[in-house]
Amino acid sequence: MASIFRDRLLAGKTAFVTGGGSGIGQRMAERFAEHGAKVMLLGRKQEKLDAAAAAIRKAGGTAETCSADVRDYPAIEAALKKAHEQFGAIDILVAGAAGNFPAPVLGMSANGFKAVIDIDLVGTFNTFRAAYEYLRKPGASIIAISASHATMPVAWQAHVCAAKAGVDLLTRTLAIEWGPQGVRANCITPGPTDDTEGMRRLAPTPEVRRQVEDHVPLRRFGTKDELADLALFLCSDAAAYITGAVYVCDGGQSLVRSSLRLAESH
Ligand code: COA
């Protein structure tokens, strides 16, 4: 689906997207490219990255790839250096890589808990920390992908709750620390989003999906395009004075919150 924004808002800019090979990160990268940005996609699986970059190029955009795990700091550093060498200073940075599985605390080993903390929270730190040197200053916009789990406990999601609470506060802290250099830092908090790995894991059956929809005030899942347009807005000059914000795009789900008992029905 095309963007609701008509002008090319990001001509000449460079975007770096972790988790850019699939899902929400991929759609955000596509959106940035449609609007004129050169994009570097980072993810763990080269074949997914190749397919995502090929789709962007087919549509007339510019994309390169780098396969790395956000838990691996030197690998992230190298990828950011590569993006900087190829495309110049990084204007847009999205920390979109995430991991999740539904399990109660007693069904989760210490390593299982740590795996999600390491991908979601430490991975976001690694991405932002390693990127600082390569960000355009002033002017860069960095975006973390959070979840409503950051502010409301969700059974069977203790690892994600802990990680995303950290992601929100990390990002808002960076808004303070890096604001004087002209770097804006914001979070996007998606709700249940169609056609994503997260929802395939958390709402795997039509019945669970219906339960989720019944608890969303707008009575539907969100789309990756809606999140991509929000990211585009946050990277654009229209958001030049917005930093330290957490933008919730969840159809109102987090207002009522009786959903995401979904995990218990697994
Ligand atoms: N229930 C309980 N524990 C689980 C689990 C589940 N469904 N899935 C994985 N784990 C545990 C593993 O048993 C392992 O712990 P152990 O060493 O004590 O046995 C630990 O988590 C790490 O698993 P592993 O598969 O080695 O880790 P990984 O680093 O390859 O994968 C995950 C990380 C587990 C988050 C994996 O689901 C992943 O890669 N996800 C990425 C995609 C994704 O989740 N997308 C949705 C984003 S919202």
Side-chain angles (χ1 to χ4, degrees), residues 66-91:
C66 209
S67 103
D69 190 320
V70 291
R71 291 170 283 190
D72 180 351
Y73 191 84
I76 294 297
E77 257 186 324
L80 286 153
K81 188 161 182 279
K82 177 178 162 186
H84 185 255
E85 280 165 7
Q86 286 192 242
F87 295 150
I90 295 168
D91 301 279

Side-chain angles (χ1 to χ4, degrees), residues 132-217:
Y132 183 78
E133 176 183 353
Y134 304 112
L135 294 177
R136 189 175 304 285
K137 298 182 276 296
S141 169
I142 68 175
I143 298 174
I145 306 301
S146 187
S148 53
H149 303 54
T151 50
M152 292 289 285
V154 182
W156 288 50
Q157 292 281 275
H159 44 8
V160 178
C161 291
K164 296 296 190 181
V167 165
D168 278 14
L169 264 293
L170 166 66
T171 308
R172 294 172 66 209
T173 302
L174 288 182
I176 300 172
E177 292 193 8
W178 294 357
Q181 286 72 44
V183 175
R184 296 184 296 109
N186 294 292
C187 282
I188 290 178
T189 300
T193 306
D194 249 337
D195 192 22
T196 59
E197 180 59 26
M199 276 300 114
R200 278 189 282 278
R201 287 170 187 241
L202 296 177
T205 65
E207 194 196 339
V208 179
R209 189 187 158 98
R210 261 194 312 279
Q211 283 172 19
V212 174
E213 284 171 341
D214 284 349
H215 291 102
V216 174

Side-chain angles (χ1 to χ4, degrees), residues 40-115:
M40 177 66 83
L41 309 175
L42 183 137
R44 277 192 288 175
K45 299 205 173 102
Q46 188 61 51
E47 60 279 14
K48 278 192 182 177
L49 295 171
D50 287 342
I56 288 174
R57 290 187 201 118
K58 194 169 168 214
T62 303
E64 290 296 334
T65 67
C66 209
S67 103
D69 190 320
V70 291
R71 291 170 283 190
D72 180 351
Y73 191 84
I76 294 297
E77 257 186 324
L80 286 153
K81 188 161 182 279
K82 177 178 162 186
H84 185 255
E85 280 165 7
Q86 286 192 242
F87 295 150
I90 295 168
D91 301 279
I92 298 158
L93 177 65
V94 176
N100 193 358
F101 57 84
V105 167
L106 294 181
M108 188 184 292
S109 68
N111 196 42
F113 183 80
K114 184 173 180 298

Side-chain angles (χ1 to χ4, degrees), residues 3 12 20 24 26 30 33 37 46 52 83 95 116-117 123 130 155 181 189 191 197 212 242 251 260 265:
S3 169
I24 293 167
Q26 180 184 6
E30 288 170 352
Q46 188 61 51
V116 171
I117 298 289
Q181 286 72 44
T189 300
E197 180 59 26
V212 174
I242 298 175
L260 288 187
S265 60

